[in-house]
Amino acid sequence: FRLAMTPFPGFVFGLVGLTYYAEVFESPDASVVEVVLFHCIIGLLLVSYLQCLLLDPGTVPKRWHDAVVRSDATNRERYKICRKCNMYKPPRSHFDSITQRLVLNMDHFCPWVCNCVGFYNRKFFILFLFYVVL
């Protein structure tokens, strides 16, 4: 649903498609090694981008919150309570107002991937940026 509300994935796929067309069809003097290397990098770029788009960044598990509630008072004092969802927050977790959830180890919300960059998709976000630079 959130992917249909933003033009950024179409823009990214369009840029990748234009780059692919220019490299494969418009450069006849490219060697076989260059073409194979280019296809590998484009494939890895698309896979890492799709992982960023489709993977859940990681939400705080309900059982973790329940375990903190059941623990002693000194353990509960170590954690803050989120004002938006009234759950205990692990360190470096933040409530994302766009996706309306508490994200585990949240970095930021990226409109280019239409998702938060969090615990489970940070690796793919960094890989995507690396392949873009290549």
Side-chain angles (χ1 to χ4, degrees), residues 67-84:
V68 172
V69 169
R70 286 190 306 271
S71 66
D72 58 349
T74 57
N75 191 26
R76 283 190 300 247
E77 289 174 357
R78 293 185 350 190
Y79 302 108
K80 296 178 182 177
I81 295 179
C82 177
R83 288 179 272 161
K84 307 274 179 154

PDB file of all heavy atoms in Angstrom, residues 67-84:
ATOM      1  N   ALA A  67       8.125  -9.191  28.836  1.00  0.00           N
ATOM      2  CA  ALA A  67       9.195  -9.628  29.733  1.00  0.00           C
ATOM      3  C   ALA A  67       9.694  -8.465  30.590  1.00  0.00           C
ATOM      4  O   ALA A  67       9.994  -8.652  31.777  1.00  0.00           O
ATOM      5  CB  ALA A  67      10.343 -10.227  28.938  1.00  0.00           C
ATOM      6  N   VAL A  68       9.764  -7.286  30.035  1.00  0.00           N
ATOM      7  CA  VAL A  68      10.181  -6.115  30.813  1.00  0.00           C
ATOM      8  C   VAL A  68       9.117  -5.778  31.851  1.00  0.00           C
ATOM      9  O   VAL A  68       9.433  -5.445  32.996  1.00  0.00           O
ATOM     10  CB  VAL A  68      10.454  -4.907  29.887  1.00  0.00           C
ATOM     11  CG1 VAL A  68      10.693  -3.646  30.692  1.00  0.00           C
ATOM     12  CG2 VAL A  68      11.643  -5.181  28.995  1.00  0.00           C
ATOM     13  N   VAL A  69       7.858  -5.880  31.485  1.00  0.00           N
ATOM     14  CA  VAL A  69       6.771  -5.599  32.426  1.00  0.00           C
ATOM     15  C   VAL A  69       6.816  -6.580  33.596  1.00  0.00           C
ATOM     16  O   VAL A  69       6.599  -6.198  34.753  1.00  0.00           O
ATOM     17  CB  VAL A  69       5.402  -5.653  31.704  1.00  0.00           C
ATOM     18  CG1 VAL A  69       4.261  -5.625  32.689  1.00  0.00           C
ATOM     19  CG2 VAL A  69       5.292  -4.501  30.724  1.00  0.00           C
ATOM     20  N   ARG A  70       7.101  -7.849  33.332  1.00  0.00           N
ATOM     21  CA  ARG A  70       7.144  -8.868  34.386  1.00  0.00           C
ATOM     22  C   ARG A  70       8.409  -8.789  35.231  1.00  0.00           C
ATOM     23  O   ARG A  70       8.470  -9.369  36.304  1.00  0.00           O
ATOM     24  CB  ARG A  70       7.043 -10.258  33.773  1.00  0.00           C
ATOM     25  CG  ARG A  70       5.662 -10.606  33.281  1.00  0.00           C
ATOM     26  CD  ARG A  70       5.565 -12.075  32.922  1.00  0.00           C
ATOM     27  NE  ARG A  70       6.583 -12.506  31.973  1.00  0.00           N
ATOM     28  CZ  ARG A  70       6.457 -12.468  30.648  1.00  0.00           C
ATOM     29  NH1 ARG A  70       5.346 -12.010  30.114  1.00  0.00           N
ATOM     30  NH2 ARG A  70       7.425 -12.875  29.860  1.00  0.00           N
ATOM     31  N   SER A  71       9.439  -8.075  34.774  1.00  0.00           N
ATOM     32  CA  SER A  71      10.703  -8.029  35.514  1.00  0.00           C
ATOM     33  C   SER A  71      10.590  -7.097  36.717  1.00  0.00           C
ATOM     34  O   SER A  71       9.586  -6.410  36.917  1.00  0.00           O
ATOM     35  CB  SER A  71      11.836  -7.579  34.595  1.00  0.00           C
ATOM     36  OG  SER A  71      11.632  -6.245  34.199  1.00  0.00           O
ATOM     37  N   ASP A  72      11.660  -7.072  37.505  1.00  0.00           N
ATOM     38  CA  ASP A  72      11.642  -6.239  38.707  1.00  0.00           C
ATOM     39  C   ASP A  72      11.732  -4.751  38.356  1.00  0.00           C
ATOM     40  O   ASP A  72      12.039  -4.372  37.225  1.00  0.00           O
ATOM     41  CB  ASP A  72      12.770  -6.650  39.646  1.00  0.00           C
ATOM     42  CG  ASP A  72      14.137  -6.557  38.996  1.00  0.00           C
ATOM     43  OD1 ASP A  72      14.202  -6.380  37.773  1.00  0.00           O
ATOM     44  OD2 ASP A  72      15.141  -6.657  39.728  1.00  0.00           O
ATOM     45  N   ALA A  73      11.495  -3.917  39.330  1.00  0.00           N
ATOM     46  CA  ALA A  73      11.405  -2.469  39.096  1.00  0.00           C
ATOM     47  C   ALA A  73      12.740  -1.869  38.656  1.00  0.00           C
ATOM     48  O   ALA A  73      12.753  -0.923  37.864  1.00  0.00           O
ATOM     49  CB  ALA A  73      10.909  -1.768  40.353  1.00  0.00           C
ATOM     50  N   THR A  74      13.848  -2.399  39.138  1.00  0.00           N
ATOM     51  CA  THR A  74      15.144  -1.826  38.743  1.00  0.00           C
ATOM     52  C   THR A  74      15.419  -2.074  37.268  1.00  0.00           C
ATOM     53  O   THR A  74      16.043  -1.246  36.602  1.00  0.00           O
ATOM     54  CB  THR A  74      16.281  -2.429  39.582  1.00  0.00           C
ATOM     55  OG1 THR A  74      16.269  -3.853  39.445  1.00  0.00           O
ATOM     56  CG2 THR A  74      16.131  -2.053  41.045  1.00  0.00           C
ATOM     57  N   ASN A  75      14.962  -3.198  36.755  1.00  0.00           N
ATOM     58  CA  ASN A  75      15.137  -3.489  35.322  1.00  0.00           C
ATOM     59  C   ASN A  75      14.230  -2.594  34.484  1.00  0.00           C
ATOM     60  O   ASN A  75      14.615  -2.124  33.418  1.00  0.00           O
ATOM     61  CB  ASN A  75      14.857  -4.965  35.042  1.00  0.00           C
ATOM     62  CG  ASN A  75      15.276  -5.369  33.655  1.00  0.00           C
ATOM     63  OD1 ASN A  75      16.171  -4.766  33.067  1.00  0.00           O
ATOM     64  ND2 ASN A  75      14.641  -6.380  33.118  1.00  0.00           N
ATOM     65  N   ARG A  76      13.017  -2.352  34.953  1.00  0.00           N
ATOM     66  CA  ARG A  76      12.078  -1.499  34.202  1.00  0.00           C
ATOM     67  C   ARG A  76      12.550  -0.051  34.148  1.00  0.00           C
ATOM     68  O   ARG A  76      12.263   0.661  33.194  1.00  0.00           O
ATOM     69  CB  ARG A  76      10.687  -1.573  34.822  1.00  0.00           C
ATOM     70  CG  ARG A  76       9.943  -2.828  34.475  1.00  0.00           C
ATOM     71  CD  ARG A  76       8.515  -2.704  34.909  1.00  0.00           C
ATOM     72  NE  ARG A  76       8.429  -2.495  36.356  1.00  0.00           N
ATOM     73  CZ  ARG A  76       7.919  -3.363  37.212  1.00  0.00           C
ATOM     74  NH1 ARG A  76       7.442  -4.488  36.785  1.00  0.00           N
ATOM     75  NH2 ARG A  76       7.884  -3.095  38.489  1.00  0.00           N
ATOM     76  N   GLU A  77      13.282   0.388  35.144  1.00  0.00           N
ATOM     77  CA  GLU A  77      13.760   1.773  35.170  1.00  0.00           C
ATOM     78  C   GLU A  77      14.815   2.037  34.097  1.00  0.00           C
ATOM     79  O   GLU A  77      15.051   3.182  33.737  1.00  0.00           O
ATOM     80  CB  GLU A  77      14.326   2.112  36.547  1.00  0.00           C
ATOM     81  CG  GLU A  77      13.264   2.218  37.612  1.00  0.00           C
ATOM     82  CD  GLU A  77      13.864   2.416  38.986  1.00  0.00           C
ATOM     83  OE1 GLU A  77      15.116   2.422  39.115  1.00  0.00           O
ATOM     84  OE2 GLU A  77      13.096   2.552  39.943  1.00  0.00           O
ATOM     85  N   ARG A  78      15.447   0.987  33.600  1.00  0.00           N
ATOM     86  CA  ARG A  78      16.479   1.159  32.567  1.00  0.00           C
ATOM     87  C   ARG A  78      15.892   1.560  31.221  1.00  0.00           C
ATOM     88  O   ARG A  78      16.594   2.100  30.376  1.00  0.00           O
ATOM     89  CB  ARG A  78      17.272  -0.133  32.394  1.00  0.00           C
ATOM     90  CG  ARG A  78      18.102  -0.479  33.573  1.00  0.00           C
ATOM     91  CD  ARG A  78      18.973  -1.674  33.370  1.00  0.00           C
ATOM     92  NE  ARG A  78      18.709  -2.435  32.176  1.00  0.00           N
ATOM     93  CZ  ARG A  78      19.232  -3.610  31.913  1.00  0.00           C
ATOM     94  NH1 ARG A  78      20.037  -4.160  32.775  1.00  0.00           N
ATOM     95  NH2 ARG A  78      18.956  -4.248  30.797  1.00  0.00           N
ATOM     96  N   TYR A  79      14.618   1.279  30.998  1.00  0.00           N
ATOM     97  CA  TYR A  79      14.005   1.516  29.699  1.00  0.00           C
ATOM     98  C   TYR A  79      12.985   2.638  29.782  1.00  0.00           C
ATOM     99  O   TYR A  79      12.272   2.775  30.761  1.00  0.00           O
ATOM    100  CB  TYR A  79      13.318   0.244  29.190  1.00  0.00           C
ATOM    101  CG  TYR A  79      14.247  -0.921  29.084  1.00  0.00           C
ATOM    102  CD1 TYR A  79      14.172  -1.976  29.985  1.00  0.00           C
ATOM    103  CD2 TYR A  79      15.219  -0.970  28.096  1.00  0.00           C
ATOM    104  CE1 TYR A  79      15.033  -3.051  29.894  1.00  0.00           C
ATOM    105  CE2 TYR A  79      16.086  -2.029  28.001  1.00  0.00           C
ATOM    106  CZ  TYR A  79      15.984  -3.068  28.904  1.00  0.00           C
ATOM    107  OH  TYR A  79      16.839  -4.116  28.813  1.00  0.00           O
ATOM    108  N   LYS A  80      12.916   3.413  28.711  1.00  0.00           N
ATOM    109  CA  LYS A  80      11.912   4.468  28.613  1.00  0.00           C
ATOM    110  C   LYS A  80      10.633   3.883  28.041  1.00  0.00           C
ATOM    111  O   LYS A  80      10.637   2.852  27.383  1.00  0.00           O
ATOM    112  CB  LYS A  80      12.408   5.588  27.693  1.00  0.00           C
ATOM    113  CG  LYS A  80      13.619   6.306  28.209  1.00  0.00           C
ATOM    114  CD  LYS A  80      14.055   7.356  27.223  1.00  0.00           C
ATOM    115  CE  LYS A  80      15.303   8.051  27.712  1.00  0.00           C
ATOM    116  NZ  LYS A  80      15.800   9.026  26.748  1.00  0.00           N
ATOM    117  N   ILE A  81       9.540   4.581  28.262  1.00  0.00           N
ATOM    118  CA  ILE A  81       8.254   4.174  27.694  1.00  0.00           C
ATOM    119  C   ILE A  81       7.943   5.114  26.530  1.00  0.00           C
ATOM    120  O   ILE A  81       8.057   6.333  26.651  1.00  0.00           O
ATOM    121  CB  ILE A  81       7.132   4.228  28.749  1.00  0.00           C
ATOM    122  CG1 ILE A  81       7.407   3.195  29.834  1.00  0.00           C
ATOM    123  CG2 ILE A  81       5.780   3.993  28.110  1.00  0.00           C
ATOM    124  CD1 ILE A  81       6.387   3.173  30.936  1.00  0.00           C
ATOM    125  N   CYS A  82       7.556   4.531  25.415  1.00  0.00           N
ATOM    126  CA  CYS A  82       7.198   5.321  24.243  1.00  0.00           C
ATOM    127  C   CYS A  82       5.886   6.049  24.527  1.00  0.00           C
ATOM    128  O   CYS A  82       4.901   5.441  24.959  1.00  0.00           O
ATOM    129  CB  CYS A  82       7.049   4.404  23.023  1.00  0.00           C
ATOM    130  SG  CYS A  82       6.535   5.277  21.541  1.00  0.00           S
ATOM    131  N   ARG A  83       5.860   7.338  24.268  1.00  0.00           N
ATOM    132  CA  ARG A  83       4.653   8.126  24.530  1.00  0.00           C
ATOM    133  C   ARG A  83       3.547   7.865  23.516  1.00  0.00           C
ATOM    134  O   ARG A  83       2.391   8.113  23.788  1.00  0.00           O
ATOM    135  CB  ARG A  83       4.997   9.610  24.545  1.00  0.00           C
ATOM    136  CG  ARG A  83       5.775  10.003  25.784  1.00  0.00           C
ATOM    137  CD  ARG A  83       6.117  11.456  25.757  1.00  0.00           C
ATOM    138  NE  ARG A  83       7.396  11.566  25.040  1.00  0.00           N
ATOM    139  CZ  ARG A  83       7.855  12.665  24.506  1.00  0.00           C
ATOM    140  NH1 ARG A  83       7.160  13.767  24.553  1.00  0.00           N
ATOM    141  NH2 ARG A  83       9.017  12.683  23.897  1.00  0.00           N
ATOM    142  N   LYS A  84       3.900   7.364  22.360  1.00  0.00           N
ATOM    143  CA  LYS A  84       2.898   7.150  21.307  1.00  0.00           C
ATOM    144  C   LYS A  84       2.207   5.793  21.422  1.00  0.00           C
ATOM    145  O   LYS A  84       1.017   5.677  21.216  1.00  0.00           O
ATOM    146  CB  LYS A  84       3.545   7.255  19.925  1.00  0.00           C
ATOM    147  CG  LYS A  84       4.327   8.517  19.721  1.00  0.00           C
ATOM    148  CD  LYS A  84       3.451   9.620  19.252  1.00  0.00           C
ATOM    149  CE  LYS A  84       4.328  10.836  19.097  1.00  0.00           C
ATOM    150  NZ  LYS A  84       3.952  11.794  18.210  1.00  0.00           N
TER     151      LYS A  84
END
